[in-house]
């Protein structure tokens, strides 16, 4: 059976999104094992320093990479709606 992990930074707060995820997870359970991994986000400093923002992104990236299995096919999505196949 297909195994799908969705790894994301930050927790969902909106109840309607949590309900939607529960519904889709239930529907997909016949076809795959769906696992959603919510990782804690890093605190962003109150400065516009590009170096500090880069360091925050690197920490979050390392968290995500530590949860990816070695034999995985990875599809990364970002806020600009670009798809990156890794």
């Amino acid at each position: 059976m297909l195994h799908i992990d969705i790894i994301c930074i930050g927790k969902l707060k909106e109840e309607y999104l949590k309900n939607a995820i529960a519904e889709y997870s239930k529907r997909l359970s016949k076809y795959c094992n769906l696992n959603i991994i919510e990782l804690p986000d890093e605190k962003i400093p109150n400065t516009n320093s590009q170096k500090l923002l880069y360091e925050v992104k690197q920490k979050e990236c390392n968290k995500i990479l530590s949860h990816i299995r070695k034999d995985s096919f990875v599809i990364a999505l970002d806020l600009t709606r670009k798809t990156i196949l890794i």
Side-chain angles (χ1 to χ4, degrees):
M1 183 176 279
L2 183 64
H3 183 87
I4 300 174
D5 286 333
I6 298 176
I7 305 169
C8 55
I9 299 291
K11 298 250 181 213
L12 284 176
K13 297 175 184 122
E14 295 84 0
E15 197 62 34
Y16 71 96
L17 289 175
K18 290 179 183 180
N19 293 336
I21 289 172
E23 178 64 26
Y24 280 110
S25 296
K26 184 175 83 173
R27 291 181 185 190
L28 289 172
S29 66
K30 297 176 187 176
Y31 310 104
C32 68
N33 293 326
L34 180 65
N35 186 23
I36 299 176
I37 303 167
E38 295 176 327
L39 303 174
D41 55 346
E42 291 290 321
K43 301 297 178 208
I44 298 176
N46 291 336
T47 181
N48 289 337
S49 168
Q50 291 299 322
K51 182 180 178 186
L52 290 176
L53 293 176
Y54 177 79
E55 289 173 3
V56 167
K57 288 180 184 180
Q58 281 300 115
K59 288 179 185 178
E60 290 178 345
C61 177
N62 290 334
K63 285 182 191 178
I64 292 171
L65 290 174
S66 69
H67 284 83
I68 297 175
R69 298 176 190 187
K70 290 188 180 202
D71 61 343
S72 296
F73 179 79
V74 178
I75 300 173
L77 301 173
D78 71 357
L79 293 175
T80 60
R81 299 180 183 158
K82 294 180 182 175
T83 304
I84 304 165
L85 299 178
I86 301 172

